[in-house]
Amino acid sequence: MKLTTAVLAAGAAVSLTTAVVGATRLRQDARHQAERNEAFLTGNQLDWLAQVSTSPDLAKLSAPEDLDVKEYMELLAANRLICMLSVRDRLGFVRTGHLPWHAAKLMESDACRRYWKRFGGLRAEEAQGDEQAEHFTRVLDQAAKNRPPAQRPAA
């Protein structure tokens, strides 16, 4: 092989390697930016839920007409707990196979069960097309169905 051919081949190999590394880096940067955006939006949502679930004046602004403001605030507080679990799951902080246990613990709360009964269908619609969100929603739905309704004390 001539020296010029070897130099050209080596140059082409270096160029190809640089292009592959560059493309990989661009994909990684885009993925990290998407993760940062999701974390920012999630933080905003959790902050909004914290404020609206503790302020009757703010809750009045967005409460459905058929819901009492106090009830709406309780449901939003339950939604905040569900969202926090969702974030932990999405970020990989819920160990494999432990999501059903966490979901069952959430559904021990009457407010979480009431929230899920009222808004679980909406959450399922929002999750469509996102495999991880669909799985999360199915697990919470199953936990809600497995939890027997609270027994009222005998008078």
Side-chain angles (χ1 to χ4, degrees), residues 81-117:
L81 293 173
I82 291 168
C83 287
M84 286 190 288
L85 176 59
S86 174
V87 169
R88 289 186 66 221
D89 181 53
R90 193 172 271 301
L91 293 175
F93 292 114
V94 176
R95 287 185 288 178
T96 303
H98 286 206
L99 184 58
W101 182 85
H102 288 284
K105 286 295 179 188
L106 273 178
M107 290 305 162
E108 288 178 2
S109 161
D110 180 56
C112 286
R113 289 191 309 276
R114 290 191 331 263
Y115 169 83
W116 199 259
K117 183 177 181 182

Side-chain angles (χ1 to χ4, degrees), residues 33-113:
Q33 184 61 47
E35 290 169 352
R36 285 189 294 272
N37 291 346
E38 186 172 353
F40 175 77
L41 293 173
T42 300
N44 283 348
Q45 179 184 14
L46 290 173
D47 183 51
W48 179 82
L49 286 169
Q51 290 180 35
V52 176
S53 66
T54 58
S55 169
D57 292 334
L58 286 176
K60 265 188 250 182
L61 298 174
S62 59
E65 290 180 16
D66 64 331
L67 263 184
D68 171 70
V69 172
K70 185 175 185 264
E71 171 70 3
Y72 183 60
M73 290 170 61
E74 288 179 20
L75 296 182
L76 289 180
N79 184 25
R80 185 169 180 235
L81 293 173
I82 291 168
C83 287
M84 286 190 288
L85 176 59
S86 174
V87 169
R88 289 186 66 221
D89 181 53
R90 193 172 271 301
L91 293 175
F93 292 114
V94 176
R95 287 185 288 178
T96 303
H98 286 206
L99 184 58
W101 182 85
H102 288 284
K105 286 295 179 188
L106 273 178
M107 290 305 162
E108 288 178 2
S109 161
D110 180 56
C112 286
R113 289 191 309 276

Side-chain angles (χ1 to χ4, degrees), residues 7-19:
V7 169
L8 286 174
V14 168
S15 294
L16 180 61
T17 302
T18 302

